């Protein structure tokens, strides 16, 4: 006998909770309530059957919590002394991660979370592992809720590309071209080429001349070194002047010395770099473009090559390397890719311009 499946209802705000109550709910079966303050809704909770419900990090009065537990629901309590919400129901944005930047980068949530992760890594604290895993699970869940009606195109590249450089401008134009073609731009979320691609996407709705207005402002602070605060503040200033959809970024606190860029509209920041890399590459089903980079970009190339090599045309993703000299001489990745492709055909391309690259995923 097959039991009927219970549809899940994800509740991530008090307003959503109230709407469901107003619609006449009598049971909480299938509810997954994440990080909602329900301390003022005890009477309402006591009027609902809690069997089959799940509460993650919610604020509950003792009476309501006992009712849920005794009635067959599960309650995962908040974890104390964390600089982040392990059960958050949404992705980050630049305003949240850089809140308090006027007091210096060290005062921001992004910096405090990184410091926490470093401190607990050094201690080998298992509670840190649990909290980080719960957080990354919540981020992965929130990421699945983003619209996927437009193809997601990954743009990878070096974090050291300076804002004043020709390479940075090229990455801006690439992001703009992809967004204008109806793609969602997704990057690793850091500085350099990744920031440029998200910036380009955010400027895609403006006249072409806006690029020449924005870039000099950013070029005045060419790198996040020596001051993350000055670098981020310059970016936030441009973002406020030219708001737009910058696509998605998937950075990590594993590389916490690389701060997240401010131009992505949705930021899925992970603790686990391995999980972050896997999610990033799996979501970019429309193709992945690789601008010149170093070890991190090379790693990302071969992480994508492995499933392509063993996959079939239905699962393979086009991999496009931009910069013939870089990928054949500076870092000769291309010859190895060709050798692999001769044994298991897979869609790989080497081009020299962003126009050629964009044409391959249009």
């Amino acid at each position: 006998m097959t039991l009927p499946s219970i549809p899940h209802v994800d509740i991530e705000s008090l307003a959503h909770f109230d709407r469901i109550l107003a619609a006449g709910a009598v049971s909480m079966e299938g509810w997954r309530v994440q990080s909602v303050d329900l301390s003022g809704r005890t009477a309402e909770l006591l009027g609902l059957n809690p069997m089959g419900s799940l509460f993650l990090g919610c604020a509950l009065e003792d009476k309501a919590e006992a009712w849920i537990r005794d009635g067959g629901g599960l309650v995962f309590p908040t974890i104390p002394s964390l600089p982040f919400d392990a059960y958050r129901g949404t992705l980050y944005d630049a305003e949240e991660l850089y809140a308090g930047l006027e007091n210096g980068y060290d005062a921001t949530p992004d910096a405090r979370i990184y410091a926490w992760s470093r401190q607990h890594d050094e201690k080998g604290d298992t509670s840190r592992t649990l909290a980080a895993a719960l957080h990354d699970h919540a981020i992965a869940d929130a990421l699945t809720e983003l619209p996927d009606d437009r193809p997601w195109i990954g743009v990878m590249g070096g974090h050291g590309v300076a804002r004043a450089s020709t390479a940075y401008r090229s990455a801006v134009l690439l992001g703009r071209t992809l967004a204008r073609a109806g793609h969602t731009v997704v990057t690793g979320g850091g500085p350099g080429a990744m920031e440029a691609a998200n910036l380009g996407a955010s400027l895609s709705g403006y006249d072409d001349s806006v690029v020449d207005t924005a870039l000099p402002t950013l070029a005045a602070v060419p790198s996040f070194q020596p001051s993350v605060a000055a670098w981020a503040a310059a970016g936030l200033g441009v973002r406020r002047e030219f708001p737009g959809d910058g696509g998605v970024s998937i950075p990590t606190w594993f590389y916490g010395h690389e701060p997240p860029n401010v131009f992505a509209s949705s930021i899925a920041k992970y603790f686990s770099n391995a999980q972050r890399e896997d999610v990033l590459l799996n979501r970019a089903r429309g193709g992945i473009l690789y601008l010149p980079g170093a070890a991190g970009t090379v790693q990302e190339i071969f992480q994508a090559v492995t499933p392509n090599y063993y996959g079939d045309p239905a699962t393979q993703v086009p991999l496009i390397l931009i910069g013939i000299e870089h990928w054949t001489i500076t870092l000769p990745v291309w010859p190895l890719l060709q050798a692999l492709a001769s044994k298991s055909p897979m869609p790989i391309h080497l081009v020299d311009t962003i126009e050629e690259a964009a044409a391959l995923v249009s």
Side-chain angles (χ1 to χ4, degrees), residues 55-361:
F55 289 77
L56 300 169
C58 295
L60 297 162
E61 291 186 348
D62 291 345
K63 191 174 183 180
E65 182 173 339
W67 170 257
I68 294 166
R69 291 184 186 277
D70 294 345
L74 290 175
V75 178
F76 284 70
T78 57
I79 302 174
S81 303
L82 294 179
F84 59 90
D85 180 359
Y87 303 107
R88 62 179 299 118
T90 60
L91 299 178
Y92 293 99
D93 59 27
E95 284 74 16
E96 180 179 0
L97 288 175
Y98 284 110
L101 184 65
E102 64 276 8
N103 299 315
Y105 175 63
D106 288 346
T108 67
D110 187 67
R112 289 189 286 107
I113 295 171
Y114 176 53
W116 173 90
S117 70
R118 294 285 293 172
Q119 175 189 11
H120 287 265
D121 277 346
E122 292 168 2
K123 290 180 179 179
D125 190 342
T126 54
S127 65
R128 178 265 177 199
T129 305
L130 174 61
L134 288 170
H135 170 275
D136 285 1
H137 178 273
I139 290 295
D141 181 61
L143 193 58
T144 64
E145 297 174 5
L146 289 182
D148 58 0
D149 52 323
R150 301 191 302 169
W152 285 37
I153 306 295
V155 179
M156 313 299 171
H159 72 270
V161 176
R163 285 168 164 174
S165 67
T166 301
Y168 187 93
R169 180 185 178 86
S170 294
V172 171
L173 298 180
L174 176 60
R176 186 182 70 180
T177 299
L178 293 172
R180 285 180 174 177
H183 301 304
T184 294
V185 174
V186 54
T187 78
M194 295 170 283
E195 177 188 61
N198 287 130
L199 169 61
S202 73
L203 298 179
S204 62
Y206 294 89
D207 183 85
D208 288 358
S209 63
V210 167
V211 170
D212 293 320
T213 302
L215 288 186
T217 301
L218 294 173
V221 188
S223 172
F224 63 95
Q225 296 174 328
S227 172
V228 174
W231 173 84
L236 288 167
V238 169
R239 190 169 183 263
R240 284 190 291 269
E241 187 175 0
F242 302 108
D245 184 356
V248 182
S249 71
I250 309 180
T252 173
W253 280 292
F254 182 80
Y255 295 130
H257 60 286
E258 297 179 17
N261 80 71
V262 305
F263 296 109
S265 297
S266 299
I267 303 176
K269 191 156 190 179
Y270 285 81
F271 287 104
S272 168
N273 184 57
Q275 185 177 354
R276 164 253 191 176
E277 294 275 12
D278 187 59
V279 167
L280 195 162
L281 297 172
N282 280 321
R283 288 303 299 266
R285 303 304 303 170
I288 307 174
L289 283 58
Y290 298 93
L291 293 158
T297 309
V298 171
Q299 176 185 336
E300 289 161 347
I301 290 173
F302 286 102
Q303 276 189 271
V305 164
T306 301
N308 262 11
Y309 182 86
Y310 291 108
D312 55 41
T315 61
Q316 289 172 333
V317 175
L319 308 180
I320 303 162
L321 279 62
I322 306 172
I324 293 175
E325 180 177 350
H326 184 83
W327 295 119
T328 59
I329 299 175
T330 306
L331 292 176
V333 167
W334 180 247
L336 180 52
L337 293 185
Q338 286 182 303
L340 289 169
S342 70
K343 301 179 184 300
S344 177
M346 52 184 175
I348 59 172
H349 309 272
L350 176 64
V351 300
D352 220 20
T353 68
I354 63 167
E355 291 80 11
E356 293 172 293
L360 288 169
V361 294

